[in-house]
Amino acid sequence: MEWYFALAFLISMVIGLMFFAVPVAFAFMATNIIGSLVFIGGAGALLQVVDNSTSLITRFQLAPVPFFIFMGSLFFYSGLAIRVFDTLDKFFGRIPGRLCYLTVAGGTIFSTLTGSSMANTAMLGSLMVPEMQRRGYHWRMSLGPILGTGGLAMIIPPSTLGVLLASLAGIDVGRFLIAGIVPGVLLALFFAILITVQIRVNPSLTPSYDIEEVSWGRGLKLALVNIVPMALVVFMVIGLIIFGIATPTESAAFGVVGVLILTVAFRLFSLSVLKQSMLSTVKVSGMVFFIILNSSIFSQLLAYSGASSGMLNFATSFDVSIALVLVTIFLSLLLLGMFMDPVSIMLITIPIFFPLIAALDINPLWFGILMLIALEMSQTTPPFGLLLFVMLGVAPKGTTLRHVAIAAAPFLGCDLLLIGLMALFPGIVLFLPGLM
């Protein structure tokens, strides 16, 4: 079977099952079973699916993921997240659309504490959307900033995907994580500018209401008490990696210890908080690993059938300029990200793309950040962007995939702007790693 027929067969099966309201993970699972029978055949196909399932979700590179999710759960259920958001809320005062700016600022901070775009989006959605709806914010302003900021966790360290990508590509993990700081902060700044433009163009998107005014002195005191201590956790996660004291998995565990120390220091720790955090970690980790499992098997089917290699070979077989090669790679990642999880995409594409960019003499740190941004964009690109479905899970009843996709679209434009600036000024990515 030609690669394009195999690709069409597998993708149309997933789309068809989802059309009949089959959940995404189960649609992939059914496609994996049927696809294995078609392309491999016999009872051995099902045994192969089972064998791959266990090997795929027991990779050591995925070990930091539950720790980062646990860290984020503790941060949320203990009330530390509320303290941070309340403090930031007081700083924004009477600024129009302050909850949108609060989402960007708080989400950027939370990105440094979770490393998981899924956890970041879920936390922001469950925390901010109900409040925005209650205040009368338009759905575009309540969903869009959360989807944009949620993806920052892919870029701003400690990025779970960043650690995995660096490990698979043979890049120094510490330097690669540091390389994501400036692009991540710039992206957050672009989001804030975009929100300002949206409000100026249509002020009715964000209502005005009275709030308590706080003096700068009291606001500064609140910041020193509630925000500055979070630097401890950031150091325990990032600093230990940068200075070579701990592996990414060990630093993730130290991050959990850091959040626990803060919960005790602020007298927010209790057995109930610990139980809720652990249950949430198990649920979210289970969902993440189940999706990774099915998407990874799906990517193996694409590879086994020749669909993925055929598509990538087709995309990279033309004798063209470096810029066009990078655009083609970017579009390939965006396309693959509509149907597969980022881990599976990296497993497929890293062995192909990194030798190619090495031959083209492209800096691997710069290309790795470009790849993360492309993967972040793909997670908010319909029809199968994972963060779109995470947002649907926490959004109010009546919210559709169309609403979520429309709200996310302007923030994808900010990603494209950042990529353009990175191409013009590579120092945005390479300056900080160059100081190490």
Side-chain angles (χ1 to χ4, degrees):
M1 185 182 294
E2 295 292 339
W3 68 266
Y4 39 84
F5 287 127
L7 180 66
F9 171 75
L10 292 171
I11 290 178
S12 62
M13 190 181 304
V14 173
I15 294 175
L17 290 170
M18 292 185 63
F19 180 78
F20 290 103
V22 177
V24 178
F26 290 102
F28 273 101
M29 184 172 67
T31 302
N32 291 336
I33 294 173
I34 297 172
S36 297
L37 292 173
V38 170
F39 293 107
I40 301 175
L46 300 180
L47 290 175
Q48 188 68 41
V49 169
V50 174
D51 288 341
N52 290 344
S53 300
T54 55
S55 62
L56 289 168
I57 60 174
T58 54
R59 292 191 298 259
F60 180 73
Q61 292 93 334
L62 297 177
V65 174
F67 285 114
F68 285 140
I69 294 173
F70 187 38
M71 186 166 60
S73 298
L74 279 171
F75 185 64
F76 176 69
Y77 286 108
S78 66
L80 286 172
I82 300 297
R83 294 175 72 102
V84 172
F85 275 94
D86 284 346
T87 302
L88 291 172
D89 191 25
K90 290 177 173 57
F91 269 102
F92 287 111
R94 297 180 181 272
I95 297 175
R98 66 190 181 89
L99 290 183
C100 297
Y101 296 109
L102 177 60
T103 298
V104 174
T108 303
I109 293 173
F110 192 61
S111 294
T112 66
L113 298 171
T114 63
S116 167
S117 59
M118 182 180 293
N120 207 25
T121 303
M123 191 281 290
L124 290 173
S126 59
L127 186 66
M128 300 303 298
V129 170
E131 180 66 14
M132 288 183 174
Q133 292 289 321
R134 189 174 69 84
R135 297 284 188 181
Y137 279 66
H138 191 275
W139 54 265
R140 276 190 297 168
M141 302 306 293
S142 62
L143 301 178
I146 294 172
L147 284 165
T149 310
L152 284 177
M154 279 195 188
I155 305 168
I156 295 179
S159 166
T160 306
L161 283 177
V163 172
L164 180 57
L165 188 151
S167 301
L168 294 175
I171 304 173
D172 182 86
V173 173
R175 289 169 60 85
F176 186 64
L177 290 176
I178 292 300
I181 293 177
V182 175
V185 172
L186 271 178
L187 196 54
L189 179 62
F190 292 160
F191 291 161
I193 295 173
L194 172 62
I195 291 168
T196 302
V197 172
Q198 288 178 312
I199 294 173
R200 291 286 178 88
V201 172
N202 189 357
S204 64
L205 294 175
T206 56
S208 59
Y209 45 87
D210 294 329
I211 60 168
E212 176 192 358
E213 293 218 14
V214 178
S215 65
W216 276 101
R218 182 163 178 262
L220 182 61
K221 180 180 178 182
L222 288 171
L224 290 173
V225 172
N226 295 323
I227 297 179
V228 173
M230 301 303 164
L232 168 67
V233 179
V234 176
F235 170 77
M236 295 185 78
V237 175
I238 298 299
L240 296 180
I241 297 176
I242 294 174
F243 295 112
I245 300 173
T247 66
T249 301
E250 292 166 344
S251 68
F254 278 117
V256 173
V257 173
V259 177
L260 283 171
I261 291 173
L262 291 180
T263 59
V264 173
F266 287 112
R267 298 182 180 179
L268 297 172
F269 180 81
S270 68
L271 290 179
S272 175
V273 167
L274 185 62
K275 179 182 177 181
Q276 284 181 305
S277 301
M278 294 183 72
L279 284 174
S280 176
T281 301
V282 171
K283 290 177 181 178
V284 176
S285 299
M287 178 176 66
V288 170
F289 279 91
F290 189 60
I291 291 173
I292 290 175
L293 182 152
N294 285 290
S295 295
S296 299
I297 296 174
F298 183 74
S299 69
Q300 288 193 350
L301 273 178
L302 288 174
Y304 187 84
S305 65
S308 59
S309 60
M311 180 171 58
L312 292 173
N313 288 335
F314 175 77
T316 57
S317 62
F318 301 99
D319 185 17
V320 292
S321 65
I322 292 178
L324 194 53
V325 170
L326 288 173
V327 170
T328 304
I329 290 175
F330 173 77
L331 293 176
S332 300
L333 291 170
L334 207 61
L335 179 63
L336 289 172
M338 296 180 189
F339 306 102
M340 291 185 287
D341 69 282
V343 175
S344 298
I345 296 171
M346 288 193 294
L347 291 173
I348 293 173
T349 59
I350 283 175
I352 299 173
F353 287 163
F354 272 84
L356 175 62
I357 63 107
L360 296 174
D361 199 26
I362 299 171
N363 188 289
L365 288 176
W366 184 91
F367 179 76
I369 296 298
L370 173 69
M371 193 169 180
L372 280 184
I373 295 172
L375 293 174
E376 180 257 321
M377 292 180 66
S378 72
Q379 297 300 285
T380 50
T381 304
F384 300 124
L386 184 59
L387 295 186
L388 299 179
F389 292 98
V390 172
M391 177 56 69
L392 281 176
V394 298
K397 289 184 178 180
T399 304
T400 65
L401 183 61
R402 175 179 170 274
H403 289 143
V404 177
I406 290 174
F411 293 86
L412 293 176
C414 293
D415 291 304
L416 292 175
L417 175 60
L418 175 62
I419 291 173
L421 289 176
M422 284 171 48
L424 293 173
F425 308 103
I428 291 173
V429 175
L430 303 178
F431 174 71
L432 285 182
L435 298 178
M436 294 179 63

